[in-house]
Amino acid sequence: MIGYPSNVLVVADYPKPRFEEDIRSKIDFVLSLGDVETPILEELHLRFQTRIFAVKGNHDSTKPFPEYVTDVHLRFVQHRNWYIGGFGGVPGYKGSGAYEWDDLSAAEKLSKLPYVDIFICHAPLLGITDKEDYAHQGSEAIKHYIDAQQPKYVYHGHVHEKMGAMVGETAVVSVFGADVFHLTYSS
């Protein structure tokens, strides 16, 4: 399937108590990559009146997302002809936390997730967009999924830095705060 050209607002680790970005373009949907407070999600919902697809970050509440947010952790959905899926949380670094996991068990779970055009996650990719400190090391399981499935786009948070890389044919983007991306489908 070929996704429609789309303006996508992507938010991760949003550092402010209110959404302060001056975005004037039409937003077709929102991707939340984790560590985004519920009041921010509510502001985005009210302001842009569009679908929000999300995964949890390691600092997020264990409460379910509000009804206007679609959780795509280990799921995939179709919107505007894009297949969107994801994986929440990060590899364990504190030994506790609702959204910390073992990379080996994550690999097993991700092996069952089919191809998606847009993959969202909180954790960075090991050796690609991660950091050297223990808390922000990347996931080998997510990197393996990306290598095997080659989604068109991957967005993640957690490292509090904006950067990008190509992994094969996949554009991998680390988001901090909020950015708008214009997505097109090229084969």
Side-chain angles (χ1 to χ4, degrees):
M1 191 161 304
I2 297 176
Y4 300 128
S6 301
N7 286 328
V8 181
L9 174 61
V10 183
V11 294
D13 305 280
Y14 197 78
K16 302 170 189 170
R18 295 191 48 84
F19 190 75
E20 299 175 0
E21 274 43 58
D22 184 25
I23 297 171
R24 296 178 187 265
S25 59
K26 179 186 182 303
I27 298 299
D28 295 305
F29 57 96
V30 175
L31 301 173
S32 176
L33 313 178
D35 293 352
V36 178
E37 298 288 332
T38 300
I40 299 295
L41 293 172
E42 185 174 2
E43 283 186 58
L44 297 175
H45 173 68
L46 293 172
R47 181 171 169 188
F48 297 107
Q49 296 292 307
T50 190
R51 300 277 304 270
I52 300 174
F53 303 97
V55 294
K56 296 276 188 167
N58 59 305
H59 296 294
D60 280 325
S61 162
T62 57
K63 292 179 185 175
F65 284 116
E67 72 281 346
Y68 52 83
V69 175
T70 302
D71 187 346
V72 295
H73 174 72
L74 286 175
R75 299 180 51 215
F76 72 97
V77 296
Q78 181 182 345
H79 183 65
R80 294 182 56 82
N81 274 10
W82 295 102
Y83 289 124
I84 304 166
F87 198 78
V90 297
Y93 66 94
K94 290 188 285 188
S96 64
Y99 299 108
E100 290 187 17
W101 34 259
D102 171 81
D103 218 31
L104 192 57
S105 66
E108 182 180 332
K109 292 174 184 176
L110 280 167
S111 72
K112 296 176 177 114
L113 184 67
Y115 169 85
V116 295
D117 300 304
I118 303 167
F119 182 83
I120 66 173
C121 51
H122 189 65
L125 280 64
L126 183 66
I128 308 286
T129 54
D130 59 353
K131 291 186 173 179
E132 291 183 17
D133 67 290
Y134 191 62
H136 297 100
Q137 288 183 355
S139 167
E140 187 172 344
I142 291 174
K143 184 179 179 310
H144 180 73
Y145 175 83
I146 303 311
D147 287 339
Q149 296 293 339
Q150 289 288 292
K152 298 291 181 196
Y153 304 99
V154 173
Y155 295 98
H156 74 79
H158 191 56
V159 296
H160 295 212
E161 188 175 329
K162 295 180 180 191
M163 68 178 111
M166 291 298 293
V167 176
E169 297 295 315
T170 300
V172 178
V173 181
S174 172
V175 176
F176 177 54
D179 282 303
V180 176
F181 296 90
H182 181 71
L183 304 187
T184 58
Y185 196 98
S186 59
S187 50

